[in-house]
Amino acid sequence: MVADTISSEAWHAHLDTLFERQRQHQYEVARTTARERKAKLRALYDALLRNRTAIQEAMWADLRKPALEVDITEISTTTGEIRYALRHLSRWMSPHRVGIRLSLIGSSAWVHYEPKGVCLILAPWNYPFNLSLIPLVSAVAAGNCVILKPSEHAPHSAHLIKAIVEECFPPQEAAVVEGDVEVAQALLKLPFDHIFFTGSPAVGKIVMAAAAEHLSSLTLELGGKSPAIVDETADLERAASRIAGLKAMNAGQICISPDYVLVHESIQEALIERLEHYFKQYYGATPEARQQSPDYPRLIHDRHFAFVTGLLNNAVGLGATVRFGGHAIAQERYLEPTILTHVPEGAAIWEAEIFGPLLPIRPYRTLTEAIDYINARPKPLALYIFSRKRERWQQVLHETRSGGVCINECGLQFFNPNLPFGGQNHSGMGRYHGQWGFQEFSHARAVTRQSNLWTSTRLLAPPYRTAFMRRIVDWVIRWL
Ligand code: NAD
C-alpha cells in the first residue's frame, strides 16, 4: 500500500521528481566544505535532543520500548556518531597523499574522497532511529544527497524521522519517504549511485538484484544466526548476564542478538541456572511480573509474533524442552524470554534467524565441534565467545568467520565508532560507523599529477626496437 490519498502513478511521479531534484542539486552538496557539512550534522544533533521525549513516545507506541533503552540505543548511538564525525570530518575529507613507485618519478599522487552522489537508505523497524540516522550521518558527512525510507512497521517512528529530517534539510538534499514494500520497490527502480540497505537476507537479495539493474554500488547490512560460545573456563556470571541481557533486550529483535548458545557440556546446567536468574532479575521473578514489566518490549507485528511462536511450537512439537519461559499472549504480541534445550536437528529454530526472545542451547564436547557447527552455516553477523583462555578465543577467531566478534561481552562491537560494522555474504557486505561509514558513502578517487619537468613514460614511447629500451623495461620489471 502506498500513500493513502494519492494514486500509484502520482506517487511514482512524486518519487521521480524528488530524485531528479536531488540529482540536479548533488554537485552543489558535493562542493560543501567540512565546516558546512558539520553545521548540517549539528542541526541534526540539536533536533534529536529537542525531540528526545517525542522519540521515546514514538518508540513506546511502536514497540513498547522503555525510555532509558531508547536513550541508550537510539539517541546516544546517533548523537555519539554525530559527535565523532564532527571531530574527524575535516581529516576524513582532506586528500590522502600516497607514495609513488620509483619508475613513476616526477609524479605525485593522492586519494580524494568524493561523494557517491544520490543515495538511497532503506531501514528496518527494530531500531528505527539509529538504523536510519547513523547511515544518514555518514552519507551527509560524505557530501551526498539522500532519500531515506524507514520501515512501515514502526509508523510512529517513521513519521517522527520524517519530521526531524525535514527540520534539518531541504528535500533536494535529504528527504524521507514513508511507505511499504511497494514504495521501496518504486524507489529501487531509480538509478541511485549508492543503496544502503538494512534488513533481512531475503529482502537483501531483492535489493541486490535491483541495484544490479543500474550497477548501483551497494551496502547490505543483514542479519543471521549469531552464536555465543561459552566454554568451561568462562566467567559464568558474566556470560549469563550478558547473554540474557542482549537476548531479551528489545525482545530479542536485534540483528546482533545472540541467536543460540553453544556451551561446554560440563557447565550447561550451571549456565541455564544463571540465565534463569538474570531473566528474573531483569524482568521479574514470576511469569506475571515479567509480563507486566515496563522494561520488556513486544514483538513488532502479528506476523512476526506468529513466526517466532511458530519456531517455539515447532521445536517443542519435535521434542525440545522448555527450561524457562514459554508464556505467550497473542493479543499483546507478548513472548516471554524462553530457554530451550534438547532441540532436535531439523527443527526450524536451527535454520531461521530467530529475531525474538527464544534461546536454544546446544552442548558441545570439544571446541572444534562448536567451530565446525558454526562453519557449517552461513557466516553470522556477530560471534560471541566467553572464555578465560586466550588460546581458546584466538582459535575461534582464526577458525571461524563472522561480521564482528565480541569476547567476554555481548554487543560492544556495535558501539565503538572506530570499528567497522557489517557482515559477510549472508550477513551482509560493506561496513559503516565512523570513518568506515564516510568511506562507504564516498568514492575513493585516484588522482595523480605529473611534473612538467619530467615524465618517465617518455622513455617508453614506440618504436620499441632499441636495446636501450629493453634494458629499461628489464630494470622496471626487476627493480623499480
Ligand atoms: P525487511 O528486510 O523486511 O525490511 C527492511 C526494509 O526493506 C524496510 O524498509 C522494508 O519496507 C523494505 N522491504 C521489505 N520487503 C521489501 C521488498 N520485497 N522489496 C523492497 N523492499 C522491501 O527487514 P525487517 O523485518 O525490517 O528487519 C529485520 C531484519 O533486519 C532481520 O533479518 C535483522 O537481522 C536485520 N537487521 C540487520 C541489521 C544490521 O545492522 N545488520 C540491523 C537491524 C536489523
Side-chain angles (χ1 to χ4, degrees), residues 63 65 69 125-127 248-254 283 297-298:
L63 268 155
K65 214 182 259 199
E69 235 175 79
W125 47 262
N126 60 330
Y127 284 92
M249 182 188 271
N250 212 26
Q253 300 165 110
I254 310 181
Y283 300 108
R298 298 299 184 254

Side-chain angles (χ1 to χ4, degrees), residues 75-121:
I75 301 178
S76 103
T77 45
T78 314
T79 54
E81 185 75 17
I82 295 175
R83 277 199 309 276
Y84 190 83
L86 291 176
R87 271 205 305 282
H88 299 286
L89 184 57
S90 307
R91 182 170 53 80
W92 298 342
M93 281 175 69
S94 54
H96 292 234
R97 222 165 234 293
V98 295
I100 54 159
R101 293 172 66 180
L102 207 53
S103 54
L104 301 178
I105 199 157
S107 69
S108 57
W110 62 94
V111 179
H112 175 68
Y113 286 99
E114 64 183 19
K116 290 210 165 160
V118 183
C119 303
L120 172 65
I121 297 174

